[in-house]
Amino acid sequence: MSDLIATTIRELPLFKPLSEEWLNRLCENATLRQFAVGEHIIDEGKMVDELFVVAAGTVRVWTKGLGKDVELKQLGPGNYVGEVSLLSGKTATATVEAAETTSIVAIGRTAIISLVESEDSVRKVLEGVTLARAKDTLGKVLQ
């Protein structure tokens, strides 16, 4: 396991309240990936099997709405994407691509689902983020 994986997971506010055992489990189920500018991390309409945490760089999040591309946001280190599709079991609602050379820590679905099922605090935060992002997306698409 790389130091960047461990640091990224341990410093993510979502995971701060977790036990050492959980933090180690997440680290063991994570991989570090590099993305070049414009390379897609998540494709809208496809299934997502990992939670993607930005370790370095910036990602652009956008969707197709009402016949045009809709810019949703840019996210930097310490932010995560993919939770909506990962938790719902439905396809991704947006495309996520590297806005610059970006390092991503990808945590496997099984570990995240187990975590959400056993740690109520994490489940509640992820549900809140999911709802907020859905409202934000809807608002931007309808503008």
Side-chain angles (χ1 to χ4, degrees):
M1 162 186 42
S2 82
D3 288 342
L4 186 54
I5 290 174
T7 300
T8 300
I9 287 174
R10 290 174 185 281
E11 290 182 359
L12 190 67
L14 176 65
F15 299 147
K16 285 276 187 194
L18 297 180
S19 68
E20 191 66 24
E21 180 182 337
W22 262 117
L23 293 170
N24 288 334
R25 186 170 172 188
L26 292 174
C27 289
E28 289 166 5
N29 286 278
T31 57
L32 184 63
R33 300 196 189 144
Q34 304 296 322
F35 293 87
V37 176
E39 193 174 356
H40 287 195
I41 299 158
I42 296 173
D43 287 304
E44 185 171 358
K46 301 250 173 114
M47 296 301 295
V48 175
D49 289 326
E50 296 164 303
L51 180 71
F52 298 101
V53 183
V54 181
T58 307
V59 299
R60 172 182 171 245
V61 184
W62 58 277
T63 189
K64 294 198 176 292
L66 305 177
K68 62 181 186 209
D69 289 350
V70 178
E71 188 79 23
L72 298 175
K73 60 182 64 189
Q74 289 211 10
L75 301 169
N79 287 282
Y80 52 88
V81 293
E83 75 288 343
V84 175
S85 177
L86 181 69
L87 296 175
S88 70
K90 297 182 179 172
T91 59
T93 57
T95 295
V96 179
E97 68 182 29
E100 60 184 321
T101 301
T102 301
S103 298
I104 297 286
V105 172
I107 307 170
R109 176 180 173 68
T110 304
I112 295 297
I113 296 298
S114 294
L115 174 63
V116 167
E117 289 174 348
S118 68
E119 296 290 330
D120 230 24
S121 63
V122 173
R123 180 185 55 77
K124 287 178 182 175
V125 169
L126 285 174
E127 286 174 350
V129 167
T130 298
L131 184 58
R133 287 184 177 174
K135 286 180 181 178
D136 183 58
T137 298
L138 188 57
K140 288 179 178 172
V141 167
L142 295 176
Q143 282 183 354

